[in-house]
PDB file of all heavy atoms in Angstrom:
ATOM      1  N   ALA A   1       0.837  -1.198   0.020  1.00  0.00           N
ATOM      2  CA  ALA A   1       0.004  -0.014   0.013  1.00  0.00           C
ATOM      3  C   ALA A   1       0.834   1.263   0.009  1.00  0.00           C
ATOM      4  O   ALA A   1       0.423   2.292  -0.486  1.00  0.00           O
ATOM      5  CB  ALA A   1      -0.937  -0.004   1.202  1.00  0.00           C
ATOM      6  N   LEU A   2       2.015   1.184   0.612  1.00  0.00           N
ATOM      7  CA  LEU A   2       2.913   2.328   0.702  1.00  0.00           C
ATOM      8  C   LEU A   2       3.818   2.436  -0.456  1.00  0.00           C
ATOM      9  O   LEU A   2       4.539   3.403  -0.625  1.00  0.00           O
ATOM     10  CB  LEU A   2       3.678   2.295   2.029  1.00  0.00           C
ATOM     11  CG  LEU A   2       2.925   2.314   3.286  1.00  0.00           C
ATOM     12  CD1 LEU A   2       3.831   2.066   4.470  1.00  0.00           C
ATOM     13  CD2 LEU A   2       2.099   3.560   3.466  1.00  0.00           C
ATOM     14  N   SER A   3       3.924   1.379  -1.303  1.00  0.00           N
ATOM     15  CA  SER A   3       4.917   1.335  -2.371  1.00  0.00           C
ATOM     16  C   SER A   3       4.310   1.605  -3.772  1.00  0.00           C
ATOM     17  O   SER A   3       4.903   2.431  -4.472  1.00  0.00           O
ATOM     18  CB  SER A   3       5.632  -0.055  -2.370  1.00  0.00           C
ATOM     19  OG  SER A   3       6.187  -0.357  -1.191  1.00  0.00           O
ATOM     20  N   VAL A   4       3.204   0.971  -4.046  1.00  0.00           N
ATOM     21  CA  VAL A   4       2.654   0.984  -5.402  1.00  0.00           C
ATOM     22  C   VAL A   4       2.309   2.429  -5.890  1.00  0.00           C
ATOM     23  O   VAL A   4       2.696   2.826  -6.982  1.00  0.00           O
ATOM     24  CB  VAL A   4       1.452   0.088  -5.493  1.00  0.00           C
ATOM     25  CG1 VAL A   4       0.839   0.123  -6.849  1.00  0.00           C
ATOM     26  CG2 VAL A   4       1.815  -1.340  -5.171  1.00  0.00           C
ATOM     27  N   SER A   5       1.621   3.139  -5.083  1.00  0.00           N
ATOM     28  CA  SER A   5       1.198   4.423  -5.495  1.00  0.00           C
ATOM     29  C   SER A   5       2.432   5.417  -5.723  1.00  0.00           C
ATOM     30  O   SER A   5       2.498   6.089  -6.772  1.00  0.00           O
ATOM     31  CB  SER A   5       0.269   5.106  -4.469  1.00  0.00           C
ATOM     32  OG  SER A   5      -0.083   6.388  -4.897  1.00  0.00           O
ATOM     33  N   SER A   6       3.441   5.308  -4.852  1.00  0.00           N
ATOM     34  CA  SER A   6       4.536   6.118  -4.948  1.00  0.00           C
ATOM     35  C   SER A   6       5.413   5.788  -6.166  1.00  0.00           C
ATOM     36  O   SER A   6       5.917   6.645  -6.927  1.00  0.00           O
ATOM     37  CB  SER A   6       5.442   6.006  -3.733  1.00  0.00           C
ATOM     38  OG  SER A   6       6.590   6.794  -3.819  1.00  0.00           O
ATOM     39  N   VAL A   7       5.531   4.505  -6.501  1.00  0.00           N
ATOM     40  CA  VAL A   7       6.394   4.092  -7.634  1.00  0.00           C
ATOM     41  C   VAL A   7       5.670   4.340  -8.963  1.00  0.00           C
ATOM     42  O   VAL A   7       6.351   4.880  -9.955  1.00  0.00           O
ATOM     43  CB  VAL A   7       6.736   2.554  -7.507  1.00  0.00           C
ATOM     44  CG1 VAL A   7       7.342   2.094  -8.775  1.00  0.00           C
ATOM     45  CG2 VAL A   7       7.660   2.325  -6.306  1.00  0.00           C
ATOM     46  N   THR A   8       4.388   4.101  -9.078  1.00  0.00           N
ATOM     47  CA  THR A   8       3.709   4.236 -10.391  1.00  0.00           C
ATOM     48  C   THR A   8       3.165   5.616 -10.568  1.00  0.00           C
ATOM     49  O   THR A   8       2.838   6.055 -11.700  1.00  0.00           O
ATOM     50  CB  THR A   8       2.556   3.259 -10.462  1.00  0.00           C
ATOM     51  OG1 THR A   8       1.569   3.506  -9.410  1.00  0.00           O
ATOM     52  CG2 THR A   8       3.029   1.839 -10.326  1.00  0.00           C
ATOM     53  N   GLY A   9       2.992   6.417  -9.467  1.00  0.00           N
ATOM     54  CA  GLY A   9       2.385   7.755  -9.625  1.00  0.00           C
ATOM     55  C   GLY A   9       0.927   7.748  -9.771  1.00  0.00           C
ATOM     56  O   GLY A   9       0.300   8.751 -10.011  1.00  0.00           O
ATOM     57  N   LYS A  10       0.322   6.521  -9.595  1.00  0.00           N
ATOM     58  CA  LYS A  10      -1.139   6.415  -9.789  1.00  0.00           C
ATOM     59  C   LYS A  10      -1.774   6.350  -8.389  1.00  0.00           C
ATOM     60  O   LYS A  10      -1.239   5.790  -7.489  1.00  0.00           O
ATOM     61  CB  LYS A  10      -1.486   5.159 -10.581  1.00  0.00           C
ATOM     62  CG  LYS A  10      -0.817   5.055 -11.951  1.00  0.00           C
ATOM     63  CD  LYS A  10      -1.294   6.171 -12.839  1.00  0.00           C
ATOM     64  CE  LYS A  10      -0.500   6.175 -14.157  1.00  0.00           C
ATOM     65  NZ  LYS A  10      -0.740   5.031 -15.051  1.00  0.00           N
ATOM     66  N   PRO A  11      -2.946   6.935  -8.195  1.00  0.00           N
ATOM     67  CA  PRO A  11      -3.576   7.005  -6.892  1.00  0.00           C
ATOM     68  C   PRO A  11      -4.229   5.717  -6.436  1.00  0.00           C
ATOM     69  O   PRO A  11      -4.723   4.944  -7.248  1.00  0.00           O
ATOM     70  CB  PRO A  11      -4.626   8.153  -7.001  1.00  0.00           C
ATOM     71  CG  PRO A  11      -5.044   8.017  -8.472  1.00  0.00           C
ATOM     72  CD  PRO A  11      -3.767   7.618  -9.255  1.00  0.00           C
ATOM     73  N   VAL A  12      -4.232   5.437  -5.145  1.00  0.00           N
ATOM     74  CA  VAL A  12      -5.027   4.345  -4.580  1.00  0.00           C
ATOM     75  C   VAL A  12      -6.430   4.913  -4.376  1.00  0.00           C
ATOM     76  O   VAL A  12      -6.664   5.919  -3.802  1.00  0.00           O
ATOM     77  CB  VAL A  12      -4.477   3.897  -3.226  1.00  0.00           C
ATOM     78  CG1 VAL A  12      -5.375   2.804  -2.686  1.00  0.00           C
ATOM     79  CG2 VAL A  12      -3.026   3.403  -3.289  1.00  0.00           C
ATOM     80  N   MET A  13      -7.406   4.256  -5.088  1.00  0.00           N
ATOM     81  CA  MET A  13      -8.754   4.753  -5.063  1.00  0.00           C
ATOM     82  C   MET A  13      -9.750   4.092  -4.157  1.00  0.00           C
ATOM     83  O   MET A  13     -10.595   4.676  -3.572  1.00  0.00           O
ATOM     84  CB  MET A  13      -9.274   4.717  -6.493  1.00  0.00           C
ATOM     85  CG  MET A  13      -8.563   5.605  -7.495  1.00  0.00           C
ATOM     86  SD  MET A  13      -9.088   5.461  -9.219  1.00  0.00           S
ATOM     87  CE  MET A  13     -10.854   5.920  -9.101  1.00  0.00           C
ATOM     88  N   PHE A  14      -9.585   2.755  -4.013  1.00  0.00           N
ATOM     89  CA  PHE A  14     -10.452   1.987  -3.096  1.00  0.00           C
ATOM     90  C   PHE A  14      -9.637   0.983  -2.328  1.00  0.00           C
ATOM     91  O   PHE A  14      -8.552   0.605  -2.649  1.00  0.00           O
ATOM     92  CB  PHE A  14     -11.514   1.181  -3.905  1.00  0.00           C
ATOM     93  CG  PHE A  14     -12.424   2.087  -4.725  1.00  0.00           C
ATOM     94  CD1 PHE A  14     -12.264   2.372  -6.107  1.00  0.00           C
ATOM     95  CD2 PHE A  14     -13.528   2.655  -4.011  1.00  0.00           C
ATOM     96  CE1 PHE A  14     -13.084   3.163  -6.755  1.00  0.00           C
ATOM     97  CE2 PHE A  14     -14.418   3.517  -4.737  1.00  0.00           C
ATOM     98  CZ  PHE A  14     -14.143   3.753  -6.146  1.00  0.00           C
ATOM     99  N   ALA A  15     -10.267   0.490  -1.208  1.00  0.00           N
ATOM    100  CA  ALA A  15      -9.667  -0.515  -0.359  1.00  0.00           C
ATOM    101  C   ALA A  15     -10.697  -1.557   0.007  1.00  0.00           C
ATOM    102  O   ALA A  15     -11.845  -1.150   0.380  1.00  0.00           O
ATOM    103  CB  ALA A  15      -9.106   0.067   0.889  1.00  0.00           C
ATOM    104  N   SER A  16     -10.372  -2.823  -0.128  1.00  0.00           N
ATOM    105  CA  SER A  16     -11.222  -3.898   0.284  1.00  0.00           C
ATOM    106  C   SER A  16     -10.772  -4.427   1.680  1.00  0.00           C
ATOM    107  O   SER A  16      -9.615  -4.802   1.843  1.00  0.00           O
ATOM    108  CB  SER A  16     -11.147  -5.032  -0.740  1.00  0.00           C
ATOM    109  OG  SER A  16     -11.868  -6.118  -0.330  1.00  0.00           O
ATOM    110  N   THR A  17     -11.623  -4.407   2.622  1.00  0.00           N
ATOM    111  CA  THR A  17     -11.237  -4.594   4.009  1.00  0.00           C
ATOM    112  C   THR A  17     -11.883  -5.780   4.688  1.00  0.00           C
ATOM    113  O   THR A  17     -11.856  -5.939   5.897  1.00  0.00           O
ATOM    114  CB  THR A  17     -11.582  -3.362   4.903  1.00  0.00           C
ATOM    115  OG1 THR A  17     -13.023  -3.103   4.797  1.00  0.00           O
ATOM    116  CG2 THR A  17     -10.825  -2.127   4.392  1.00  0.00           C
ATOM    117  N   GLY A  18     -12.369  -6.759   3.888  1.00  0.00           N
ATOM    118  CA  GLY A  18     -12.982  -7.948   4.448  1.00  0.00           C
ATOM    119  C   GLY A  18     -13.660  -8.831   3.365  1.00  0.00           C
ATOM    120  O   GLY A  18     -13.583  -8.468   2.172  1.00  0.00           O
ATOM    121  N   GLU A  19     -14.257  -9.884   3.827  1.00  0.00           N
ATOM    122  CA  GLU A  19     -14.901 -10.774   2.863  1.00  0.00           C
ATOM    123  C   GLU A  19     -16.275 -10.397   2.439  1.00  0.00           C
ATOM    124  O   GLU A  19     -16.758 -10.768   1.367  1.00  0.00           O
ATOM    125  CB  GLU A  19     -14.943 -12.212   3.462  1.00  0.00           C
ATOM    126  CG  GLU A  19     -13.493 -12.774   3.699  1.00  0.00           C
ATOM    127  CD  GLU A  19     -13.562 -14.220   4.259  1.00  0.00           C
ATOM    128  OE1 GLU A  19     -14.707 -14.702   4.436  1.00  0.00           O
ATOM    129  OE2 GLU A  19     -12.509 -14.725   4.552  1.00  0.00           O
ATOM    130  N   SER A  20     -17.020  -9.639   3.240  1.00  0.00           N
ATOM    131  CA  SER A  20     -18.347  -9.215   2.974  1.00  0.00           C
ATOM    132  C   SER A  20     -18.378  -8.219   1.845  1.00  0.00           C
ATOM    133  O   SER A  20     -17.424  -7.489   1.676  1.00  0.00           O
ATOM    134  CB  SER A  20     -19.056  -8.626   4.235  1.00  0.00           C
ATOM    135  OG  SER A  20     -20.242  -8.008   3.910  1.00  0.00           O
ATOM    136  N   LEU A  21     -19.454  -8.172   1.108  1.00  0.00           N
ATOM    137  CA  LEU A  21     -19.575  -7.166   0.024  1.00  0.00           C
ATOM    138  C   LEU A  21     -19.613  -5.711   0.546  1.00  0.00           C
ATOM    139  O   LEU A  21     -19.394  -4.808  -0.249  1.00  0.00           O
ATOM    140  CB  LEU A  21     -20.828  -7.453  -0.815  1.00  0.00           C
ATOM    141  CG  LEU A  21     -20.778  -8.718  -1.710  1.00  0.00           C
ATOM    142  CD1 LEU A  21     -22.075  -8.782  -2.483  1.00  0.00           C
ATOM    143  CD2 LEU A  21     -19.568  -8.869  -2.532  1.00  0.00           C
ATOM    144  N   ASP A  22     -19.931  -5.581   1.846  1.00  0.00           N
ATOM    145  CA  ASP A  22     -19.916  -4.211   2.389  1.00  0.00           C
ATOM    146  C   ASP A  22     -18.610  -3.828   2.850  1.00  0.00           C
ATOM    147  O   ASP A  22     -18.391  -2.626   3.220  1.00  0.00           O
ATOM    148  CB  ASP A  22     -20.895  -4.250   3.602  1.00  0.00           C
ATOM    149  CG  ASP A  22     -22.383  -4.411   3.146  1.00  0.00           C
ATOM    150  OD1 ASP A  22     -22.776  -3.823   2.139  1.00  0.00           O
ATOM    151  OD2 ASP A  22     -23.100  -5.188   3.888  1.00  0.00           O
ATOM    152  N   ASP A  23     -17.605  -4.701   2.928  1.00  0.00           N
ATOM    153  CA  ASP A  23     -16.286  -4.353   3.354  1.00  0.00           C
ATOM    154  C   ASP A  23     -15.480  -3.711   2.275  1.00  0.00           C
ATOM    155  O   ASP A  23     -14.539  -4.294   1.682  1.00  0.00           O
ATOM    156  CB  ASP A  23     -15.570  -5.546   3.919  1.00  0.00           C
ATOM    157  CG  ASP A  23     -16.232  -6.121   5.158  1.00  0.00           C
ATOM    158  OD1 ASP A  23     -16.807  -5.343   5.903  1.00  0.00           O
ATOM    159  OD2 ASP A  23     -16.166  -7.341   5.375  1.00  0.00           O
ATOM    160  N   PHE A  24     -15.883  -2.547   1.852  1.00  0.00           N
ATOM    161  CA  PHE A  24     -15.298  -1.890   0.687  1.00  0.00           C
ATOM    162  C   PHE A  24     -15.472  -0.353   0.921  1.00  0.00           C
ATOM    163  O   PHE A  24     -16.523   0.136   1.324  1.00  0.00           O
ATOM    164  CB  PHE A  24     -16.062  -2.300  -0.590  1.00  0.00           C
ATOM    165  CG  PHE A  24     -15.518  -1.687  -1.836  1.00  0.00           C
ATOM    166  CD1 PHE A  24     -14.374  -2.156  -2.408  1.00  0.00           C
ATOM    167  CD2 PHE A  24     -16.199  -0.660  -2.486  1.00  0.00           C
ATOM    168  CE1 PHE A  24     -13.845  -1.546  -3.615  1.00  0.00           C
ATOM    169  CE2 PHE A  24     -15.715  -0.071  -3.644  1.00  0.00           C
ATOM    170  CZ  PHE A  24     -14.564  -0.514  -4.180  1.00  0.00           C
ATOM    171  N   GLU A  25     -14.394   0.339   0.722  1.00  0.00           N
ATOM    172  CA  GLU A  25     -14.422   1.802   1.054  1.00  0.00           C
ATOM    173  C   GLU A  25     -13.572   2.611   0.150  1.00  0.00           C
ATOM    174  O   GLU A  25     -12.582   2.106  -0.410  1.00  0.00           O
ATOM    175  CB  GLU A  25     -14.055   2.035   2.525  1.00  0.00           C
ATOM    176  CG  GLU A  25     -12.607   1.552   2.858  1.00  0.00           C
ATOM    177  CD  GLU A  25     -12.318   1.626   4.361  1.00  0.00           C
ATOM    178  OE1 GLU A  25     -13.173   1.178   5.121  1.00  0.00           O
ATOM    179  OE2 GLU A  25     -11.227   2.141   4.672  1.00  0.00           O
ATOM    180  N   LEU A  26     -13.940   3.863  -0.034  1.00  0.00           N
ATOM    181  CA  LEU A  26     -13.116   4.811  -0.743  1.00  0.00           C
ATOM    182  C   LEU A  26     -11.829   5.059   0.040  1.00  0.00           C
ATOM    183  O   LEU A  26     -11.874   5.131   1.301  1.00  0.00           O
ATOM    184  CB  LEU A  26     -13.898   6.148  -0.846  1.00  0.00           C
ATOM    185  CG  LEU A  26     -13.420   7.135  -1.883  1.00  0.00           C
ATOM    186  CD1 LEU A  26     -13.468   6.666  -3.314  1.00  0.00           C
ATOM    187  CD2 LEU A  26     -14.241   8.456  -1.746  1.00  0.00           C
ATOM    188  N   PHE A  27     -10.701   5.102  -0.639  1.00  0.00           N
ATOM    189  CA  PHE A  27      -9.432   5.254   0.044  1.00  0.00           C
ATOM    190  C   PHE A  27      -9.104   6.719   0.241  1.00  0.00           C
ATOM    191  O   PHE A  27      -9.036   7.459  -0.728  1.00  0.00           O
ATOM    192  CB  PHE A  27      -8.334   4.607  -0.791  1.00  0.00           C
ATOM    193  CG  PHE A  27      -7.027   4.466  -0.113  1.00  0.00           C
ATOM    194  CD1 PHE A  27      -6.740   3.430   0.732  1.00  0.00           C
ATOM    195  CD2 PHE A  27      -6.078   5.459  -0.283  1.00  0.00           C
ATOM    196  CE1 PHE A  27      -5.459   3.342   1.367  1.00  0.00           C
ATOM    197  CE2 PHE A  27      -4.843   5.368   0.351  1.00  0.00           C
ATOM    198  CZ  PHE A  27      -4.552   4.293   1.153  1.00  0.00           C
ATOM    199  N   HIS A  28      -8.939   7.102   1.517  1.00  0.00           N
ATOM    200  CA  HIS A  28      -8.533   8.439   1.857  1.00  0.00           C
ATOM    201  C   HIS A  28      -7.069   8.456   2.387  1.00  0.00           C
ATOM    202  O   HIS A  28      -6.826   7.887   3.475  1.00  0.00           O
ATOM    203  CB  HIS A  28      -9.420   8.955   2.993  1.00  0.00           C
ATOM    204  CG  HIS A  28     -10.877   9.062   2.557  1.00  0.00           C
ATOM    205  ND1 HIS A  28     -11.366  10.107   1.836  1.00  0.00           N
ATOM    206  CD2 HIS A  28     -11.968   8.230   2.781  1.00  0.00           C
ATOM    207  CE1 HIS A  28     -12.675   9.964   1.622  1.00  0.00           C
ATOM    208  NE2 HIS A  28     -13.062   8.794   2.184  1.00  0.00           N
ATOM    209  N   PRO A  29      -6.083   8.866   1.666  1.00  0.00           N
ATOM    210  CA  PRO A  29      -4.686   8.853   2.069  1.00  0.00           C
ATOM    211  C   PRO A  29      -4.466   9.468   3.468  1.00  0.00           C
ATOM    212  O   PRO A  29      -3.707   8.923   4.280  1.00  0.00           O
ATOM    213  CB  PRO A  29      -3.973   9.630   0.974  1.00  0.00           C
ATOM    214  CG  PRO A  29      -4.823   9.511  -0.195  1.00  0.00           C
ATOM    215  CD  PRO A  29      -6.261   9.500   0.285  1.00  0.00           C
ATOM    216  N   ASP A  30      -5.154  10.634   3.743  1.00  0.00           N
ATOM    217  CA  ASP A  30      -4.900  11.277   5.029  1.00  0.00           C
ATOM    218  C   ASP A  30      -5.432  10.435   6.179  1.00  0.00           C
ATOM    219  O   ASP A  30      -4.789  10.322   7.234  1.00  0.00           O
ATOM    220  CB  ASP A  30      -5.550  12.686   5.037  1.00  0.00           C
ATOM    221  CG  ASP A  30      -7.023  12.686   4.639  1.00  0.00           C
ATOM    222  OD1 ASP A  30      -7.454  11.677   4.008  1.00  0.00           O
ATOM    223  OD2 ASP A  30      -7.712  13.625   4.950  1.00  0.00           O
ATOM    224  N   ARG A  31      -6.573   9.814   5.951  1.00  0.00           N
ATOM    225  CA  ARG A  31      -7.092   8.929   7.069  1.00  0.00           C
ATOM    226  C   ARG A  31      -6.275   7.675   7.237  1.00  0.00           C
ATOM    227  O   ARG A  31      -6.088   7.262   8.385  1.00  0.00           O
ATOM    228  CB  ARG A  31      -8.608   8.577   6.701  1.00  0.00           C
ATOM    229  CG  ARG A  31      -9.479   9.787   6.564  1.00  0.00           C
ATOM    230  CD  ARG A  31     -10.993   9.361   6.337  1.00  0.00           C
ATOM    231  NE  ARG A  31     -11.767  10.470   5.907  1.00  0.00           N
ATOM    232  CZ  ARG A  31     -13.058  10.395   5.650  1.00  0.00           C
ATOM    233  NH1 ARG A  31     -13.675   9.244   5.730  1.00  0.00           N
ATOM    234  NH2 ARG A  31     -13.729  11.484   5.274  1.00  0.00           N
ATOM    235  N   MET A  32      -5.812   7.114   6.178  1.00  0.00           N
ATOM    236  CA  MET A  32      -4.959   5.944   6.345  1.00  0.00           C
ATOM    237  C   MET A  32      -3.717   6.284   7.077  1.00  0.00           C
ATOM    238  O   MET A  32      -3.156   5.498   7.877  1.00  0.00           O
ATOM    239  CB  MET A  32      -4.698   5.270   4.905  1.00  0.00           C
ATOM    240  CG  MET A  32      -3.886   4.007   4.980  1.00  0.00           C
ATOM    241  SD  MET A  32      -4.623   2.786   6.014  1.00  0.00           S
ATOM    242  CE  MET A  32      -6.035   2.362   5.030  1.00  0.00           C
ATOM    243  N   ALA A  33      -3.100   7.411   6.755  1.00  0.00           N
ATOM    244  CA  ALA A  33      -1.867   7.867   7.445  1.00  0.00           C
ATOM    245  C   ALA A  33      -2.189   8.024   8.931  1.00  0.00           C
ATOM    246  O   ALA A  33      -1.344   7.645   9.817  1.00  0.00           O
ATOM    247  CB  ALA A  33      -1.408   9.158   6.849  1.00  0.00           C
ATOM    248  N   SER A  34      -3.304   8.619   9.270  1.00  0.00           N
ATOM    249  CA  SER A  34      -3.719   8.677  10.646  1.00  0.00           C
ATOM    250  C   SER A  34      -3.875   7.354  11.396  1.00  0.00           C
ATOM    251  O   SER A  34      -3.422   7.185  12.569  1.00  0.00           O
ATOM    252  CB  SER A  34      -5.054   9.467  10.781  1.00  0.00           C
ATOM    253  OG  SER A  34      -4.884  10.847  10.351  1.00  0.00           O
ATOM    254  N   ARG A  35      -4.412   6.373  10.666  1.00  0.00           N
ATOM    255  CA  ARG A  35      -4.513   5.054  11.213  1.00  0.00           C
ATOM    256  C   ARG A  35      -3.090   4.416  11.484  1.00  0.00           C
ATOM    257  O   ARG A  35      -2.823   3.810  12.553  1.00  0.00           O
ATOM    258  CB  ARG A  35      -5.240   4.134  10.298  1.00  0.00           C
ATOM    259  CG  ARG A  35      -6.757   4.432  10.148  1.00  0.00           C
ATOM    260  CD  ARG A  35      -7.447   3.314   9.433  1.00  0.00           C
ATOM    261  NE  ARG A  35      -8.721   3.731   8.798  1.00  0.00           N
ATOM    262  CZ  ARG A  35      -9.549   2.981   8.180  1.00  0.00           C
ATOM    263  NH1 ARG A  35      -9.248   1.712   7.980  1.00  0.00           N
ATOM    264  NH2 ARG A  35     -10.678   3.418   7.667  1.00  0.00           N
ATOM    265  N   ILE A  36      -2.195   4.612  10.530  1.00  0.00           N
ATOM    266  CA  ILE A  36      -0.853   4.077  10.633  1.00  0.00           C
ATOM    267  C   ILE A  36      -0.154   4.689  11.880  1.00  0.00           C
ATOM    268  O   ILE A  36       0.553   4.021  12.658  1.00  0.00           O
ATOM    269  CB  ILE A  36      -0.062   4.273   9.375  1.00  0.00           C
ATOM    270  CG1 ILE A  36      -0.616   3.417   8.248  1.00  0.00           C
ATOM    271  CG2 ILE A  36       1.418   3.930   9.618  1.00  0.00           C
ATOM    272  CD1 ILE A  36      -0.023   3.715   6.838  1.00  0.00           C
ATOM    273  N   LEU A  37      -0.383   5.974  12.081  1.00  0.00           N
ATOM    274  CA  LEU A  37       0.320   6.640  13.203  1.00  0.00           C
ATOM    275  C   LEU A  37      -0.567   6.564  14.462  1.00  0.00           C
ATOM    276  O   LEU A  37      -0.223   7.219  15.479  1.00  0.00           O
ATOM    277  CB  LEU A  37       0.533   8.084  12.842  1.00  0.00           C
ATOM    278  CG  LEU A  37       1.504   8.363  11.702  1.00  0.00           C
ATOM    279  CD1 LEU A  37       1.651   9.820  11.410  1.00  0.00           C
ATOM    280  CD2 LEU A  37       2.855   7.787  12.043  1.00  0.00           C
ATOM    281  N   ASP A  38      -1.597   5.719  14.532  1.00  0.00           N
ATOM    282  CA  ASP A  38      -2.371   5.483  15.701  1.00  0.00           C
ATOM    283  C   ASP A  38      -3.112   6.716  16.204  1.00  0.00           C
ATOM    284  O   ASP A  38      -3.320   6.906  17.377  1.00  0.00           O
ATOM    285  CB  ASP A  38      -1.511   4.878  16.816  1.00  0.00           C
ATOM    286  CG  ASP A  38      -2.323   4.213  17.902  1.00  0.00           C
ATOM    287  OD1 ASP A  38      -3.536   3.811  17.565  1.00  0.00           O
ATOM    288  OD2 ASP A  38      -1.908   3.979  19.019  1.00  0.00           O
TER     289      ASP A  38
END
């Protein structure tokens, strides 16, 4: 997740977070960074 966007220059648009069809969300870089930094 931290490599692909930086190397290709293409944005991460969505993230699949589980097996259910509802486990799908729009990818927000600022929110993901906040999660990584707790």
Side-chain angles (χ1 to χ4, degrees):
L2 300 175
S3 305
V4 176
S5 180
S6 179
V7 170
T8 62
K10 305 296 173 66
V12 179
M13 295 176 60
F14 296 99
S16 175
T17 57
E19 296 181 3
S20 169
L21 292 184
D22 293 317
D23 296 329
F24 182 76
E25 59 188 46
L26 194 65
F27 188 86
H28 299 277
D30 53 342
R31 300 183 191 180
M32 183 55 68
S34 292
R35 291 190 200 182
I36 293 172
L37 294 179
D38 198 20

